[in-house]
């Protein structure tokens, strides 16, 4: 039994301490995202607990931390506001109806993610090029840094002339700003210096505790977790154990109109959540030199969001900042994610007053160190060494992540990389031409034949001036797609229209099958069962009593 436990939690001490550290860093970020989406911070914290716990237990990447992420929260902002309006326009007006639409949307989001895992769409993350990955990491690091800079301000509620309520931030000044900067630098200094003295103490957690004790001991008037929540419109961190939200079933109309209203934001949130989770999983794979299961992670993320929606929580996904903090603190196993979720719940239920005393500066310092460690500084060094197209992709993805959206950035990066790849391979098609003694003109095709190289392929042939007999040899070419087969079909049609004989050699078996299906006449055009002119098997016939075709070589 002891041996079994060791296999499950081989790094128990580090996982536990890392989980506690991450839970502390999770609170202000989740609360900030709740303010962005204009929902109750406790709703976001409940979602972070549920999603974090389920993905930690069932996910495909031990060490990955999930919670109520900002990339998902921003998608719900408009839907919640429109939902409130729809609720007030009902026959029986319902206040705060947008929150019930949110919960239904999160459930649908989870269902979509589970389908993505069942249909094994998680494996497509392998198609994301390395420059896109570097751009993602850099862009997200900048976004997290900018979010921390906003912590150097105080929020206040203001009402515009149109009657719209909004939070306005006023940046700190004078001694308050200097104290804040000093505490942040102290936290960063401890995280940087403590590992050089001893690695037995978790640097990030120690830094938070030391900074908090200094603030409490000297009774310093600084921004804390509690004051931050109150400034944002919350009432505090104290909450209850999450239970199924029965009001969802009582007040939300389950009809086609509701489905149409939540379908698009649910799909967008599911897509963004999976992209960030799978990209974060890839990052952890690189940091730990192990490999996670993308499809399993999709299913776990979906299950977490479904339960979160049913229990009145918001949607979430993998969080790169908290994940990097966890990995750097030594968290490698599932226990670290479980500990994060359990500790977060414990703070809400029992230790709310203590956690509200933690200075924001300590948590900002931890996040700043995470940004420094996560940002791919090597990208500056290699920009002039990598192909121009890869450099453009890296910079573009970074900028789009910062100014637009993570999902859009990844899609843009993959599309640019794919187009560059297609363009470069399209230029590799070649044709060696020669005339046999019998007057047959032979075209030996080299390079991949696919949609991008069709034009260059067609330009190699001169149908009108070629002799009566033409042979096209695909021995050094690969037919890649339907466009290539269509090009071959059209070329044969042109030669036959001129009354010329054409033969095709060394086509792949799948290409032959498709050509035969398109037209029976290709059985006369394609040359079957010919010896390869370049590759021969040197062997004595007596060594092979059966025909060579019966051997699996």
């Amino acid at each position: 039994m002891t041996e079994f436990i060791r296999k499950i939690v081989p790094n128990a001490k580090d996982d536990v301490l890392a989980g506690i550290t991450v839970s502390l860093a999770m609170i202000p970020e989740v609360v900030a995202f709740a303010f962005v989406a204009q929902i109750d911070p406790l709703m976001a914290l409940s979602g972070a607990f549920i999603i974090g716990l389920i993905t930690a237990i069932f996910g495909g990447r031990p060490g990955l931390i999930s919670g109520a992420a900002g990339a998902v929260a921003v998608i719900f902002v408009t839907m919640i506001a429109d939902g409130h309006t729809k609720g007030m326009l009902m026959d029986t007006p319902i206040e705060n109806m947008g929150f019930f639409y949110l919960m239904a949307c999160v459930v649908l989001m989870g269902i979509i993610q589970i389908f993505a895992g069942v249909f094994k769409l998680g494996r497509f993350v392998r198609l994301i090029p390395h420059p896109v990955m570097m751009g993602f990491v850099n862009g997200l690091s900048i976004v997290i840094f900018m979010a921390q800079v906003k912590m150097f301000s105080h929020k206040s509620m203001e009402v515009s002339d149109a009657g719209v309520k909004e939070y306005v931030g006023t940046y700190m000044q004078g001694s308050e700003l200097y104290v804040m900067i000093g505490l942040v630098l102290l936290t960063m200094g401890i995280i940087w210096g403590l590992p050089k003295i001893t690695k037995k103490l978790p640097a990030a957690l120690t830094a938070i505790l030391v900074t908090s004790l200094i603030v409490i001991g000297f009774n310093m008037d600084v921004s804390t977790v509690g004051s931050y929540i109150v400034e944002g419109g919350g009432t505090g961190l104290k909450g209850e154990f999450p239970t199924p939200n029965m009001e969802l079933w009582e007040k939300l109309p389950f009809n086609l109109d509701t489905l149409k209203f939540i379908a698009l934001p649910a799909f967008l949130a599911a897509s963004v959540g999976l992209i960030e989770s799978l990209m974060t999983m890839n990052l952890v794979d690189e940091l730990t030199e192990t490999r996670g299961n993308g499809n399993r992670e999709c299913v776990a993320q979906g299950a977490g969001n479904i339960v979160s929606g049913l229990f009145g929580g918001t949607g979430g996904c993998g969080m790169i900042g908290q994940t990097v903090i966890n990995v750097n603190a030594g968290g490698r196993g599932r226990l670290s994610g479980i500990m994060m979720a359990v500790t977060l719940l414990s703070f809400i239920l029992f230790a709310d007053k203590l956690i509200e005393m933690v200075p924001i500066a300590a948590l900002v310092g931890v996040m700043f160190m995470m940004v420094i460690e996560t940002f791919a500084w090597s990208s500056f060094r290699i920009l002039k060494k990598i192909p121009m197209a890869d450099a453009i992709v890296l910079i573009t993805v970074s900028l789009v992540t910062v100014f637009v959206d993570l999902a859009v950035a990844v899609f843009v990066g993959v599309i640019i990389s794919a187009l560059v790849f297609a363009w470069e391979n399209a230029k590799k098609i070649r044709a060696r031409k020669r005339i046999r003694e019998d007057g047959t003109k032979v075209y030996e095709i080299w390079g991949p034949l696919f949609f991008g190289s069709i034009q260059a392929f067609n330009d190699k042939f001169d149908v009108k001036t070629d002799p009566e007999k033409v042979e096209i040899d695909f021995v050094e070419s690969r037919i890649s797609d339907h466009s290539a087969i269509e090009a071959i079909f059209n070329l044969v049609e042109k030669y036959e229209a001129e009354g010329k004989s054409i033969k095709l050699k060394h086509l792949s078996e799948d290409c032959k099958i498709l050509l035969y299906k398109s037209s029976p006449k290709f059985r006369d055009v394609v040359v079957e069962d010919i010896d390869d002119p370049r590759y021969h098997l040197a062997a004595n016939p007596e060594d092979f009593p059966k025909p060579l075709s019966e051997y699996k070589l």
Side-chain angles (χ1 to χ4, degrees), residues 123-236:
R123 60 189 173 186
F124 286 106
V125 73
R126 302 175 195 170
L127 300 178
I128 297 176
H130 189 66
V132 176
M133 184 68 187
M134 292 185 72
F136 157 80
V137 170
N138 289 351
L140 215 54
S141 296
I142 295 171
V143 171
I144 294 172
F145 174 81
M146 293 169 62
Q148 302 313 304
V149 171
K150 292 179 181 178
M151 297 290 186
F152 288 80
S153 65
H154 294 291
K155 294 183 178 63
S156 59
M157 175 73 76
E158 292 189 6
V159 181
S160 65
D161 295 336
V164 178
K165 295 180 180 180
E166 58 181 356
Y167 289 101
V168 177
T170 304
Y171 281 96
M172 299 175 181
Q173 296 179 351
S175 59
E176 183 184 21
L177 176 61
Y178 301 141
V179 171
M180 178 80 169
I181 294 174
L183 293 174
V184 170
L185 293 176
L186 173 63
T187 304
M188 295 174 68
I190 294 173
I191 295 173
W192 175 79
L194 186 61
K196 301 181 184 301
I197 301 173
T198 178
K199 293 186 178 181
K200 293 183 178 180
L201 296 174
L205 181 58
T206 303
I208 293 172
L209 291 175
V210 170
T211 305
S212 299
L213 289 174
I214 291 174
V215 169
I216 296 171
F218 288 94
N219 195 26
M220 301 173 69
D221 184 16
V222 298
S223 181
T224 63
V225 172
S227 65
Y228 181 78
I229 294 174
V230 172
E231 284 178 5
T235 57

